[in-house]
Amino acid sequence: MKNADMKNRTFVLGIISSTLFFVSLAIILCVVFGIKTYWKYNALLINFCLMLIFASFVLGTLGLTKAKKGWIGKILCIIPVTSFCLLAAFLLWIFIGVMFPHKLPAKKDLRRTSEILETDLSGGKYLKRIETHCGLLYDGDYYAQIKFSELDKILESIKNNPHWKNSALPQSLLFLLYEDEPEDFLCLITDERMKFPRTDRYFYFFINRSDECEDPENRNPDYLLDWEYSLNFTVALLDLNTNILYIYELDT
Protein backbone atom coordinates (compact mmCIF):
# COMPACT_ATOMS: atom_id res chain seq x y z
CA MET A 1 0.00 0.00 0.00
CA LYS A 2 2.85 2.34 0.91
CA ASN A 3 4.62 1.62 -2.41
CA ALA A 4 1.39 2.41 -4.27
CA ASP A 5 1.15 5.74 -2.46
CA MET A 6 4.76 6.52 -3.42
CA LYS A 7 4.03 5.68 -7.06
CA ASN A 8 0.94 7.90 -7.03
CA ARG A 9 2.82 10.73 -5.35
CA THR A 10 5.64 10.58 -7.90
CA PHE A 11 3.15 10.40 -10.76
CA VAL A 12 1.16 13.40 -9.47
CA LEU A 13 4.31 15.47 -8.90
CA GLY A 14 5.52 14.46 -12.37
CA ILE A 15 2.23 15.53 -13.96
CA ILE A 16 2.25 18.88 -12.17
CA SER A 17 5.94 19.65 -12.80
CA SER A 18 5.76 18.66 -16.49
CA THR A 19 2.58 20.70 -16.98
CA LEU A 20 4.22 23.78 -15.43
CA PHE A 21 7.27 23.30 -17.63
CA PHE A 22 5.33 22.96 -20.88
CA VAL A 23 3.14 25.94 -20.02
CA SER A 24 6.25 28.04 -19.45
CA LEU A 25 7.70 26.74 -22.73
CA ALA A 26 4.52 27.76 -24.59
CA ILE A 27 4.68 31.26 -23.10
CA ILE A 28 8.36 31.60 -24.06
CA LEU A 29 7.54 30.63 -27.65
CA CYS A 30 4.80 33.26 -27.73
CA VAL A 31 7.25 35.90 -26.49
CA VAL A 32 10.05 34.87 -28.88
CA PHE A 33 7.89 34.65 -31.97
CA GLY A 34 6.14 37.86 -31.04
CA ILE A 35 2.44 37.89 -30.52
CA LYS A 36 2.29 41.66 -30.99
CA THR A 37 -0.82 42.11 -28.88
CA TYR A 38 1.09 41.11 -25.76
CA TRP A 39 4.47 42.76 -26.43
CA LYS A 40 4.00 45.24 -23.59
CA TYR A 41 3.66 42.31 -21.18
CA ASN A 42 6.88 40.56 -22.26
CA ALA A 43 8.87 41.38 -19.13
CA LEU A 44 6.03 40.21 -16.91
CA LEU A 45 5.60 37.01 -18.94
CA ILE A 46 9.30 36.19 -18.82
CA ASN A 47 9.38 36.63 -15.03
CA PHE A 48 6.30 34.45 -14.74
CA CYS A 49 7.96 31.79 -16.93
CA LEU A 50 11.04 31.76 -14.74
CA MET A 51 8.86 31.23 -11.69
CA LEU A 52 7.04 28.36 -13.42
CA ILE A 53 10.31 26.73 -14.50
CA PHE A 54 11.74 26.97 -10.99
CA ALA A 55 8.51 25.55 -9.51
CA SER A 56 8.56 22.67 -12.00
CA PHE A 57 12.19 21.96 -11.04
CA VAL A 58 11.36 21.90 -7.31
CA LEU A 59 8.35 19.63 -7.78
CA GLY A 60 10.23 17.39 -10.20
CA THR A 61 13.17 17.07 -7.81
CA LEU A 62 10.78 16.29 -4.96
CA GLY A 63 9.10 13.63 -7.09
CA LEU A 64 12.43 12.00 -7.93
CA THR A 65 13.53 12.12 -4.29
CA LYS A 66 10.38 10.35 -3.13
CA ALA A 67 10.27 7.89 -6.02
CA LYS A 68 10.65 4.17 -5.38
CA LYS A 69 9.17 2.67 -8.50
CA GLY A 70 6.80 3.95 -11.17
CA TRP A 71 8.72 4.77 -14.31
CA ILE A 72 6.09 7.04 -15.84
CA GLY A 73 6.18 9.36 -12.83
CA LYS A 74 9.98 9.38 -12.88
CA ILE A 75 10.10 10.28 -16.57
CA LEU A 76 7.59 13.09 -16.04
CA CYS A 77 9.76 14.43 -13.21
CA ILE A 78 13.02 14.07 -15.16
CA ILE A 79 11.80 16.32 -18.02
CA PRO A 80 11.53 19.58 -16.03
CA VAL A 81 14.55 18.81 -13.83
CA THR A 82 16.81 18.16 -16.82
CA SER A 83 15.47 21.22 -18.66
CA PHE A 84 16.12 23.42 -15.65
CA CYS A 85 19.71 22.12 -15.38
CA LEU A 86 20.31 22.81 -19.09
CA LEU A 87 18.89 26.32 -18.73
CA ALA A 88 21.09 26.97 -15.69
CA ALA A 89 24.16 25.73 -17.60
CA PHE A 90 23.28 27.99 -20.56
CA LEU A 91 22.86 31.03 -18.31
CA LEU A 92 26.17 30.22 -16.61
CA TRP A 93 27.86 30.02 -20.03
CA ILE A 94 26.45 33.46 -20.92
CA PHE A 95 27.60 34.86 -17.57
CA ILE A 96 31.14 33.56 -18.12
CA GLY A 97 31.13 35.03 -21.62
CA VAL A 98 30.03 38.41 -20.29
CA MET A 99 32.38 38.57 -17.34
CA PHE A 100 35.58 37.03 -18.70
CA PRO A 101 37.66 37.62 -21.88
CA HIS A 102 37.17 35.25 -24.82
CA LYS A 103 40.78 34.06 -25.04
CA LEU A 104 41.34 31.37 -27.66
CA PRO A 105 43.92 28.58 -27.54
CA ALA A 106 47.19 29.69 -29.15
CA LYS A 107 46.93 27.49 -32.28
CA LYS A 108 43.34 28.47 -32.97
CA ASP A 109 44.14 32.13 -32.35
CA LEU A 110 47.06 31.94 -34.79
CA ARG A 111 44.76 30.54 -37.50
CA ARG A 112 42.17 33.23 -36.82
CA THR A 113 44.78 35.97 -37.00
CA SER A 114 46.21 34.52 -40.21
CA GLU A 115 42.78 34.82 -41.84
CA ILE A 116 42.34 38.43 -40.74
CA LEU A 117 45.83 39.46 -41.86
CA GLU A 118 45.54 37.43 -45.07
CA THR A 119 48.95 35.84 -44.60
CA ASP A 120 50.51 32.63 -43.33
CA LEU A 121 51.58 32.96 -39.69
CA SER A 122 52.14 29.26 -39.06
CA GLY A 123 55.90 29.75 -38.62
CA GLY A 124 55.48 32.17 -35.73
CA LYS A 125 55.27 31.76 -31.97
CA TYR A 126 53.51 34.05 -29.54
CA LEU A 127 55.67 36.15 -27.27
CA LYS A 128 52.68 37.93 -25.74
CA ARG A 129 48.89 37.86 -26.01
CA ILE A 130 46.50 40.25 -24.27
CA GLU A 131 42.76 39.72 -24.74
CA THR A 132 40.08 41.93 -23.21
CA HIS A 133 37.11 41.14 -25.50
CA CYS A 134 34.10 40.12 -23.45
CA GLY A 135 30.37 40.54 -23.25
CA LEU A 136 27.60 39.52 -25.61
CA LEU A 137 28.67 42.22 -28.08
CA TYR A 138 32.33 41.13 -27.96
CA ASP A 139 33.65 44.58 -27.08
CA GLY A 140 37.28 45.08 -26.12
CA ASP A 141 40.76 45.03 -27.60
CA TYR A 142 43.43 42.48 -28.43
CA TYR A 143 47.20 42.70 -28.68
CA ALA A 144 49.81 40.15 -29.68
CA GLN A 145 53.49 39.81 -30.47
CA ILE A 146 54.50 36.93 -32.75
CA LYS A 147 58.18 36.01 -33.20
CA PHE A 148 59.51 34.40 -36.39
CA SER A 149 62.80 32.53 -36.50
CA GLU A 150 63.04 33.41 -40.19
CA LEU A 151 61.05 35.73 -42.42
CA ASP A 152 61.30 34.05 -45.82
CA LYS A 153 57.89 32.38 -45.67
CA ILE A 154 55.89 35.27 -44.25
CA LEU A 155 57.65 37.82 -46.50
CA GLU A 156 56.73 35.79 -49.55
CA SER A 157 53.12 35.82 -48.44
CA ILE A 158 53.17 39.54 -47.61
CA LYS A 159 54.82 40.65 -50.85
CA ASN A 160 52.13 38.84 -52.83
CA ASN A 161 49.39 40.70 -50.94
CA PRO A 162 48.78 44.34 -51.99
CA HIS A 163 47.10 45.07 -48.64
CA TRP A 164 50.47 44.84 -46.88
CA LYS A 165 52.49 48.02 -47.40
CA ASN A 166 56.02 49.19 -46.64
CA SER A 167 55.42 52.84 -47.40
CA ALA A 168 55.44 55.60 -44.79
CA LEU A 169 52.83 55.14 -42.10
CA PRO A 170 49.78 57.36 -42.61
CA GLN A 171 49.14 60.10 -40.09
CA SER A 172 46.29 58.24 -38.43
CA LEU A 173 48.48 55.21 -37.63
CA LEU A 174 51.27 57.44 -36.32
CA PHE A 175 48.74 58.97 -33.95
CA LEU A 176 47.28 55.58 -33.04
CA LEU A 177 50.46 53.56 -32.52
CA TYR A 178 52.88 56.17 -31.20
CA GLU A 179 50.71 58.81 -29.53
CA ASP A 180 52.04 61.54 -31.83
CA GLU A 181 48.72 63.35 -31.62
CA PRO A 182 49.28 66.57 -29.61
CA GLU A 183 45.75 66.54 -28.23
CA ASP A 184 45.53 62.75 -27.79
CA PHE A 185 42.77 62.66 -30.39
CA LEU A 186 43.43 59.00 -31.16
CA CYS A 187 44.33 57.78 -27.70
CA LEU A 188 42.68 54.40 -28.24
CA ILE A 189 45.45 52.09 -27.02
CA THR A 190 45.36 52.78 -23.29
CA ASP A 191 47.05 49.62 -22.00
CA GLU A 192 50.76 50.32 -21.51
CA ARG A 193 51.58 46.70 -22.31
CA MET A 194 50.33 47.16 -25.88
CA LYS A 195 53.37 48.81 -27.43
CA PHE A 196 54.48 49.18 -31.05
CA PRO A 197 58.17 49.80 -31.79
CA ARG A 198 59.48 52.63 -33.91
CA THR A 199 61.36 51.01 -36.76
CA ASP A 200 62.72 52.00 -40.15
CA ARG A 201 62.19 48.58 -41.77
CA TYR A 202 58.67 47.25 -41.68
CA PHE A 203 55.48 46.19 -43.41
CA TYR A 204 52.11 47.25 -42.10
CA PHE A 205 48.53 46.06 -42.56
CA PHE A 206 45.22 47.71 -41.75
CA ILE A 207 41.60 46.69 -42.16
CA ASN A 208 38.43 48.39 -40.99
CA ARG A 209 36.10 45.53 -40.05
CA SER A 210 33.03 47.74 -39.57
CA ASP A 211 30.00 46.71 -41.59
CA GLU A 212 29.66 50.25 -42.91
CA CYS A 213 32.88 49.98 -44.93
CA GLU A 214 33.77 47.78 -47.88
CA ASP A 215 36.74 47.51 -50.24
CA PRO A 216 38.65 49.64 -50.93
CA GLU A 217 37.52 52.15 -48.29
CA ASN A 218 38.05 49.66 -45.47
CA ARG A 219 41.82 49.71 -46.12
CA ASN A 220 42.25 53.40 -45.40
CA PRO A 221 43.16 54.01 -41.74
CA ASP A 222 42.64 57.76 -42.02
CA TYR A 223 38.95 57.16 -41.39
CA LEU A 224 39.96 57.05 -37.72
CA LEU A 225 40.58 60.81 -37.82
CA ASP A 226 36.91 61.73 -38.13
CA TRP A 227 34.95 58.52 -37.50
CA GLU A 228 31.97 59.06 -35.20
CA TYR A 229 30.60 55.53 -34.93
CA SER A 230 31.78 52.30 -33.34
CA LEU A 231 35.34 51.20 -34.09
CA ASN A 232 36.15 47.72 -35.39
CA PHE A 233 39.60 47.46 -36.90
CA THR A 234 42.82 45.45 -36.98
CA VAL A 235 46.30 46.87 -37.48
CA ALA A 236 49.57 44.92 -37.74
CA LEU A 237 53.21 45.90 -38.02
CA LEU A 238 55.99 43.47 -38.98
CA ASP A 239 59.34 44.74 -37.68
CA LEU A 240 62.02 43.44 -40.07
CA ASN A 241 64.80 44.33 -37.63
CA THR A 242 63.55 41.99 -34.90
CA ASN A 243 61.37 39.49 -36.86
CA ILE A 244 58.43 40.32 -34.59
CA LEU A 245 54.88 40.92 -35.77
CA TYR A 246 52.79 43.29 -33.63
CA ILE A 247 48.99 43.11 -33.84
CA TYR A 248 46.24 45.24 -32.35
CA GLU A 249 42.47 44.88 -32.66
CA LEU A 250 39.73 47.10 -31.29
CA ASP A 251 35.97 46.48 -31.18
CA THR A 252 33.61 48.97 -29.58
Side-chain angles (χ1 to χ4, degrees):
M1 188 72 177
K2 187 176 180 180
N3 288 338
D5 290 340
M6 286 294 185
K7 288 181 182 180
N8 292 335
R9 185 182 301 176
T10 301
F11 180 77
V12 171
L13 289 173
I15 288 289
I16 297 173
S17 61
S18 294
T19 300
L20 293 177
F21 170 74
F22 286 114
V23 169
S24 64
L25 183 62
I27 296 174
I28 290 172
L29 291 175
C30 290
V31 171
V32 170
F33 292 103
I35 299 178
K36 295 184 179 180
T37 309
Y38 303 107
W39 274 4
K40 59 182 178 180
Y41 303 114
N42 278 359
L44 181 62
L45 289 172
I46 290 173
N47 289 331
F48 182 60
C49 283
L50 292 176
M51 292 174 60
L52 289 180
I53 291 172
F54 181 73
S56 68
F57 168 75
V58 172
L59 293 174
T61 303
L62 185 60
L64 291 175
T65 303
K66 299 294 184 180
K68 297 292 183 180
K69 296 182 180 179
W71 291 104
I72 296 177
K74 287 182 179 180
I75 292 172
L76 291 173
C77 291
I78 286 172
I79 293 173
V81 171
T82 303
S83 301
F84 178 86
C85 292
L86 292 174
L87 177 62
F90 176 70
L91 294 176
L92 178 62
W93 176 73
I94 291 178
F95 174 78
I96 292 173
V98 169
M99 297 301 296
F100 300 98
H102 302 169
K103 193 168 185 178
L104 296 172
K107 289 185 178 180
K108 190 173 182 179
D109 193 12
L110 199 63
R111 288 195 299 268
R112 179 196 69 88
T113 307
S114 295
E115 292 177 0
I116 294 174
L117 300 184
E118 303 170 7
T119 190
D120 184 5
L121 304 179
S122 59
K125 292 185 178 180
Y126 283 107
L127 296 179
K128 180 184 293 187
R129 281 196 303 155
I130 303 171
E131 175 64 276
T132 69
H133 284 91
C134 59
L136 297 177
L137 299 178
Y138 201 65
D139 293 342
D141 54 4
Y142 168 89
Y143 173 84
Q145 296 178 9
I146 302 176
K147 175 75 173 181
F148 295 87
S149 57
E150 56 182 31
L151 292 177
D152 294 345
K153 188 175 181 180
I154 187 173
L155 280 179
E156 181 181 358
S157 177
I158 285 175
K159 289 178 179 179
N160 290 326
N161 188 331
H163 297 145
W164 281 87
K165 306 180 185 301
N166 61 350
S167 56
L169 288 173
Q171 186 181 46
S172 54
L173 291 188
L174 289 173
F175 292 165
L176 174 69
L177 303 181
Y178 305 119
E179 299 181 358
D180 286 351
E181 168 60 54
E183 299 178 358
D184 290 331
F185 180 75
L186 280 179
C187 187
L188 299 176
I189 306 178
T190 57
D191 193 324
E192 294 185 355
R193 299 171 297 170
M194 301 178 178
K195 295 294 185 180
F196 279 75
R198 294 183 181 271
T199 177
D200 57 348
R201 298 176 61 241
Y202 59 84
F203 280 89
Y204 77 89
F205 176 96
F206 179 89
I207 182 171
N208 175 7
R209 293 180 282 100
S210 299
D211 294 336
E212 294 86 352
C213 291
E214 298 179 355
D215 281 328
E217 289 80 7
N218 64 346
R219 302 292 176 172
N220 179 15
D222 284 341
Y223 91 98
L224 295 170
L225 296 174
D226 55 6
W227 191 252
E228 298 179 355
Y229 305 100
S230 60
L231 295 168
N232 304 91
F233 66 84
T234 300
V235 60
L237 180 79
L238 177 62
D239 186 351
L240 301 179
N241 293 325
T242 61
N243 294 7
I244 297 177
L245 175 66
Y246 299 82
I247 305 158
Y248 178 77
E249 295 180 357
L250 178 64
D251 295 279
T252 64

PDB file of all heavy atoms in Angstrom, residues 111-128:
ATOM      1  N   ARG A 111      45.509  30.746 -36.252  1.00  0.00           N
ATOM      2  CA  ARG A 111      44.764  30.539 -37.501  1.00  0.00           C
ATOM      3  C   ARG A 111      43.789  31.687 -37.746  1.00  0.00           C
ATOM      4  O   ARG A 111      43.654  32.180 -38.871  1.00  0.00           O
ATOM      5  CB  ARG A 111      44.014  29.211 -37.450  1.00  0.00           C
ATOM      6  CG  ARG A 111      44.901  27.991 -37.551  1.00  0.00           C
ATOM      7  CD  ARG A 111      44.091  26.740 -37.871  1.00  0.00           C
ATOM      8  NE  ARG A 111      43.108  26.445 -36.845  1.00  0.00           N
ATOM      9  CZ  ARG A 111      43.339  25.649 -35.800  1.00  0.00           C
ATOM     10  NH1 ARG A 111      44.537  25.100 -35.645  1.00  0.00           N
ATOM     11  NH2 ARG A 111      42.391  25.409 -34.914  1.00  0.00           N
ATOM     12  N   ARG A 112      43.106  32.116 -36.682  1.00  0.00           N
ATOM     13  CA  ARG A 112      42.165  33.228 -36.815  1.00  0.00           C
ATOM     14  C   ARG A 112      42.879  34.495 -37.273  1.00  0.00           C
ATOM     15  O   ARG A 112      42.425  35.200 -38.194  1.00  0.00           O
ATOM     16  CB  ARG A 112      41.477  33.481 -35.470  1.00  0.00           C
ATOM     17  CG  ARG A 112      40.478  34.623 -35.457  1.00  0.00           C
ATOM     18  CD  ARG A 112      40.157  35.052 -34.030  1.00  0.00           C
ATOM     19  NE  ARG A 112      41.288  35.686 -33.392  1.00  0.00           N
ATOM     20  CZ  ARG A 112      41.546  36.994 -33.478  1.00  0.00           C
ATOM     21  NH1 ARG A 112      40.757  37.784 -34.190  1.00  0.00           N
ATOM     22  NH2 ARG A 112      42.590  37.508 -32.862  1.00  0.00           N
ATOM     23  N   THR A 113      44.023  34.774 -36.648  1.00  0.00           N
ATOM     24  CA  THR A 113      44.782  35.974 -36.998  1.00  0.00           C
ATOM     25  C   THR A 113      45.329  35.888 -38.417  1.00  0.00           C
ATOM     26  O   THR A 113      45.362  36.890 -39.139  1.00  0.00           O
ATOM     27  CB  THR A 113      45.929  36.176 -35.995  1.00  0.00           C
ATOM     28  OG1 THR A 113      45.407  36.152 -34.657  1.00  0.00           O
ATOM     29  CG2 THR A 113      46.620  37.505 -36.223  1.00  0.00           C
ATOM     30  N   SER A 114      45.729  34.708 -38.838  1.00  0.00           N
ATOM     31  CA  SER A 114      46.209  34.521 -40.208  1.00  0.00           C
ATOM     32  C   SER A 114      45.128  34.886 -41.219  1.00  0.00           C
ATOM     33  O   SER A 114      45.406  35.511 -42.250  1.00  0.00           O
ATOM     34  CB  SER A 114      46.647  33.064 -40.432  1.00  0.00           C
ATOM     35  OG  SER A 114      47.760  32.740 -39.636  1.00  0.00           O
ATOM     36  N   GLU A 115      43.892  34.515 -40.932  1.00  0.00           N
ATOM     37  CA  GLU A 115      42.782  34.818 -41.842  1.00  0.00           C
ATOM     38  C   GLU A 115      42.527  36.322 -41.908  1.00  0.00           C
ATOM     39  O   GLU A 115      42.286  36.868 -42.987  1.00  0.00           O
ATOM     40  CB  GLU A 115      41.522  34.087 -41.380  1.00  0.00           C
ATOM     41  CG  GLU A 115      41.608  32.571 -41.526  1.00  0.00           C
ATOM     42  CD  GLU A 115      40.374  31.867 -40.994  1.00  0.00           C
ATOM     43  OE1 GLU A 115      39.452  32.568 -40.514  1.00  0.00           O
ATOM     44  OE2 GLU A 115      40.330  30.625 -41.038  1.00  0.00           O
ATOM     45  N   ILE A 116      42.589  36.986 -40.760  1.00  0.00           N
ATOM     46  CA  ILE A 116      42.336  38.433 -40.741  1.00  0.00           C
ATOM     47  C   ILE A 116      43.441  39.180 -41.477  1.00  0.00           C
ATOM     48  O   ILE A 116      43.175  40.097 -42.265  1.00  0.00           O
ATOM     49  CB  ILE A 116      42.221  38.939 -39.293  1.00  0.00           C
ATOM     50  CG1 ILE A 116      40.982  38.359 -38.615  1.00  0.00           C
ATOM     51  CG2 ILE A 116      42.177  40.472 -39.253  1.00  0.00           C
ATOM     52  CD1 ILE A 116      40.865  38.702 -37.147  1.00  0.00           C
ATOM     53  N   LEU A 117      44.694  38.772 -41.251  1.00  0.00           N
ATOM     54  CA  LEU A 117      45.830  39.465 -41.858  1.00  0.00           C
ATOM     55  C   LEU A 117      46.151  38.961 -43.266  1.00  0.00           C
ATOM     56  O   LEU A 117      47.072  39.465 -43.908  1.00  0.00           O
ATOM     57  CB  LEU A 117      47.070  39.311 -40.967  1.00  0.00           C
ATOM     58  CG  LEU A 117      46.955  39.869 -39.547  1.00  0.00           C
ATOM     59  CD1 LEU A 117      48.277  39.731 -38.811  1.00  0.00           C
ATOM     60  CD2 LEU A 117      46.512  41.330 -39.568  1.00  0.00           C
ATOM     61  N   GLU A 118      45.416  37.956 -43.706  1.00  0.00           N
ATOM     62  CA  GLU A 118      45.541  37.432 -45.068  1.00  0.00           C
ATOM     63  C   GLU A 118      46.967  36.976 -45.373  1.00  0.00           C
ATOM     64  O   GLU A 118      47.500  37.206 -46.457  1.00  0.00           O
ATOM     65  CB  GLU A 118      45.109  38.501 -46.077  1.00  0.00           C
ATOM     66  CG  GLU A 118      43.703  39.014 -45.860  1.00  0.00           C
ATOM     67  CD  GLU A 118      43.380  40.231 -46.708  1.00  0.00           C
ATOM     68  OE1 GLU A 118      44.207  40.594 -47.570  1.00  0.00           O
ATOM     69  OE2 GLU A 118      42.296  40.823 -46.519  1.00  0.00           O
ATOM     70  N   THR A 119      47.589  36.337 -44.411  1.00  0.00           N
ATOM     71  CA  THR A 119      48.946  35.837 -44.605  1.00  0.00           C
ATOM     72  C   THR A 119      49.183  34.623 -43.728  1.00  0.00           C
ATOM     73  O   THR A 119      48.452  34.376 -42.766  1.00  0.00           O
ATOM     74  CB  THR A 119      49.971  36.939 -44.280  1.00  0.00           C
ATOM     75  OG1 THR A 119      51.264  36.524 -44.701  1.00  0.00           O
ATOM     76  CG2 THR A 119      49.999  37.256 -42.796  1.00  0.00           C
ATOM     77  N   ASP A 120      50.213  33.868 -44.038  1.00  0.00           N
ATOM     78  CA  ASP A 120      50.510  32.628 -43.332  1.00  0.00           C
ATOM     79  C   ASP A 120      51.394  32.918 -42.120  1.00  0.00           C
ATOM     80  O   ASP A 120      52.552  33.319 -42.273  1.00  0.00           O
ATOM     81  CB  ASP A 120      51.213  31.645 -44.289  1.00  0.00           C
ATOM     82  CG  ASP A 120      51.460  30.293 -43.655  1.00  0.00           C
ATOM     83  OD1 ASP A 120      51.008  30.081 -42.504  1.00  0.00           O
ATOM     84  OD2 ASP A 120      52.106  29.447 -44.294  1.00  0.00           O
ATOM     85  N   LEU A 121      50.842  32.706 -40.929  1.00  0.00           N
ATOM     86  CA  LEU A 121      51.585  32.959 -39.694  1.00  0.00           C
ATOM     87  C   LEU A 121      52.007  31.671 -39.005  1.00  0.00           C
ATOM     88  O   LEU A 121      52.425  31.699 -37.853  1.00  0.00           O
ATOM     89  CB  LEU A 121      50.728  33.790 -38.727  1.00  0.00           C
ATOM     90  CG  LEU A 121      50.190  35.124 -39.240  1.00  0.00           C
ATOM     91  CD1 LEU A 121      49.354  35.795 -38.160  1.00  0.00           C
ATOM     92  CD2 LEU A 121      51.323  36.034 -39.687  1.00  0.00           C
ATOM     93  N   SER A 122      51.902  30.556 -39.691  1.00  0.00           N
ATOM     94  CA  SER A 122      52.141  29.257 -39.057  1.00  0.00           C
ATOM     95  C   SER A 122      53.567  29.094 -38.542  1.00  0.00           C
ATOM     96  O   SER A 122      53.821  28.283 -37.658  1.00  0.00           O
ATOM     97  CB  SER A 122      51.814  28.123 -40.035  1.00  0.00           C
ATOM     98  OG  SER A 122      52.609  28.230 -41.214  1.00  0.00           O
ATOM     99  N   GLY A 123      54.508  29.871 -39.072  1.00  0.00           N
ATOM    100  CA  GLY A 123      55.896  29.751 -38.622  1.00  0.00           C
ATOM    101  C   GLY A 123      56.222  30.588 -37.402  1.00  0.00           C
ATOM    102  O   GLY A 123      57.360  30.585 -36.934  1.00  0.00           O
ATOM    103  N   GLY A 124      55.222  31.290 -36.864  1.00  0.00           N
ATOM    104  CA  GLY A 124      55.475  32.173 -35.732  1.00  0.00           C
ATOM    105  C   GLY A 124      55.062  31.587 -34.399  1.00  0.00           C
ATOM    106  O   GLY A 124      54.273  30.642 -34.335  1.00  0.00           O
ATOM    107  N   LYS A 125      55.611  32.149 -33.331  1.00  0.00           N
ATOM    108  CA  LYS A 125      55.272  31.760 -31.970  1.00  0.00           C
ATOM    109  C   LYS A 125      54.949  33.016 -31.154  1.00  0.00           C
ATOM    110  O   LYS A 125      55.634  34.029 -31.267  1.00  0.00           O
ATOM    111  CB  LYS A 125      56.423  30.996 -31.314  1.00  0.00           C
ATOM    112  CG  LYS A 125      56.684  29.627 -31.932  1.00  0.00           C
ATOM    113  CD  LYS A 125      57.753  28.878 -31.167  1.00  0.00           C
ATOM    114  CE  LYS A 125      57.976  27.481 -31.756  1.00  0.00           C
ATOM    115  NZ  LYS A 125      59.017  26.726 -31.008  1.00  0.00           N
ATOM    116  N   TYR A 126      53.919  32.899 -30.340  1.00  0.00           N
ATOM    117  CA  TYR A 126      53.506  34.049 -29.536  1.00  0.00           C
ATOM    118  C   TYR A 126      54.548  34.366 -28.460  1.00  0.00           C
ATOM    119  O   TYR A 126      54.992  33.500 -27.721  1.00  0.00           O
ATOM    120  CB  TYR A 126      52.166  33.775 -28.863  1.00  0.00           C
ATOM    121  CG  TYR A 126      50.975  33.899 -29.789  1.00  0.00           C
ATOM    122  CD1 TYR A 126      50.301  32.764 -30.223  1.00  0.00           C
ATOM    123  CD2 TYR A 126      50.528  35.141 -30.223  1.00  0.00           C
ATOM    124  CE1 TYR A 126      49.203  32.870 -31.072  1.00  0.00           C
ATOM    125  CE2 TYR A 126      49.447  35.259 -31.068  1.00  0.00           C
ATOM    126  CZ  TYR A 126      48.786  34.127 -31.491  1.00  0.00           C
ATOM    127  OH  TYR A 126      47.707  34.238 -32.324  1.00  0.00           O
ATOM    128  N   LEU A 127      54.888  35.653 -28.392  1.00  0.00           N
ATOM    129  CA  LEU A 127      55.668  36.154 -27.273  1.00  0.00           C
ATOM    130  C   LEU A 127      54.748  36.747 -26.199  1.00  0.00           C
ATOM    131  O   LEU A 127      55.047  36.696 -25.018  1.00  0.00           O
ATOM    132  CB  LEU A 127      56.638  37.242 -27.738  1.00  0.00           C
ATOM    133  CG  LEU A 127      57.729  36.815 -28.725  1.00  0.00           C
ATOM    134  CD1 LEU A 127      58.587  38.028 -29.090  1.00  0.00           C
ATOM    135  CD2 LEU A 127      58.589  35.701 -28.149  1.00  0.00           C
ATOM    136  N   LYS A 128      53.630  37.299 -26.666  1.00  0.00           N
ATOM    137  CA  LYS A 128      52.684  37.933 -25.745  1.00  0.00           C
ATOM    138  C   LYS A 128      51.305  37.952 -26.390  1.00  0.00           C
ATOM    139  O   LYS A 128      51.169  38.149 -27.592  1.00  0.00           O
ATOM    140  CB  LYS A 128      53.136  39.362 -25.425  1.00  0.00           C
ATOM    141  CG  LYS A 128      52.233  40.118 -24.474  1.00  0.00           C
ATOM    142  CD  LYS A 128      52.691  41.563 -24.289  1.00  0.00           C
ATOM    143  CE  LYS A 128      54.012  41.641 -23.566  1.00  0.00           C
ATOM    144  NZ  LYS A 128      54.366  43.059 -23.254  1.00  0.00           N
TER     145      LYS A 128
END
